[in-house]
């Protein structure tokens, strides 16, 4: 029995277009842009590596950077519920843009949603 990996179902080309479409939105988002570097080239490169292995493809991220330890790597940044929501909405729009559909999208999105919740390390401040 041979289960198709999500990485294979989505394909490298679409995954790379998704990450580029995502960071274009991140770079313009008022809640996200302030905590990201101005030049998102390297961030996008690492995210392509990470999502490749997250979806069952080759371990590109770990080979270059070691264990992801995602929550620890996000610790220097204030990840609030508002920012997690913004991250997820940029991703949803990017999935629309590249035409990612059906169960592949739903499963991938559901996992990203949970991972984003797990990154939250700071409460929203009341204003
Ligand atoms: C890096 C923010 C969720 C994966 C980063 C960086 C920021 C950030 C500011 C540093 C960028 C840089 O210096 O290049 C956020 C926010 C999130 C979020 C606000 C909202 C919840 C996620 C999720 C994933 C993820 C859900 C994975 C599914 C990564 C990866 C890196 C990264 C792989 C690169 C780590 C490295 O430097 O090696 N994120 N992130 N992030 N993020 Fe997130």
């Amino acid at each position: 029995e041979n289960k198709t990996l999500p990485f294979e179902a989505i394909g490298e080309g679409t995954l790379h277009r998704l990450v580029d479409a995502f960071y274009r939105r991140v770079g313009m988002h008022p809640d996200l842009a302030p905590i990201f570097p101005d030049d998102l080239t390297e961030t996008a490169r690492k995210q392509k590596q990470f999502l490749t292995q997250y979806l069952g493809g080759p371990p590109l991220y770990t080979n270059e950077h070691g264990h992801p330890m995602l929550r620890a790597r996000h610790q220097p940044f204030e990840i609030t519920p508002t920012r997690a929501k913004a991250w997820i909405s940029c991703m949803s729009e990017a999935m629309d843009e590249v035409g990612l559909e059906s169960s592949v999208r739903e499963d991938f999105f559901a996992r990203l949603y949970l991972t984003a919740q797990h990154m939250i390390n700071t409460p929203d401040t009341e204003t």
Side-chain angles (χ1 to χ4, degrees):
E1 175 190 349
N2 218 333
K3 253 191 102 204
T4 305
L5 298 168
F7 175 69
E8 291 163 356
I10 293 168
E12 186 181 61
T14 300
L15 181 63
H16 287 196
R17 282 192 293 279
L18 175 72
V19 170
D20 291 335
F22 171 71
Y23 283 111
R24 260 197 313 278
R25 286 173 170 77
V26 166
M28 296 186 308
H29 198 292
D31 294 325
L32 296 175
I35 61 165
F36 278 86
D38 291 336
D39 183 350
L40 290 166
T41 313
E42 182 62 11
T43 311
R45 193 182 72 84
K46 287 181 185 170
Q47 188 65 278
K48 286 169 188 167
Q49 294 177 319
F50 177 78
L51 291 178
T52 295
Q53 74 184 55
Y54 186 80
L55 293 167
L60 303 180
Y61 182 91
T62 297
N63 287 348
E64 186 173 328
H65 313 286
H67 191 285
M69 304 180 299
L70 269 197
R71 198 168 193 283
R73 290 193 203 259
H74 286 76
Q75 210 57 53
F77 311 103
E78 290 188 356
I79 315 287
T80 59
T82 296
R83 287 197 172 119
K85 208 173 158 185
W87 194 104
I88 271 303
S89 94
C90 289
M91 183 55 78
S92 177
E93 289 176 20
M95 286 178 170
D96 290 341
E97 181 180 324
V98 304
L100 200 63
E101 277 170 354
S102 73
S103 67
V104 173
R105 174 182 180 148
E106 282 163 34
D107 294 349
F108 186 18
F109 187 79
R111 285 185 68 199
L112 289 173
Y113 182 89
L114 292 176
T115 305
Q117 300 312 114
H118 182 64
M119 292 306 137
I120 295 171
N121 56 26
T122 307
D124 281 313
T125 49
E126 292 168 43
T127 48

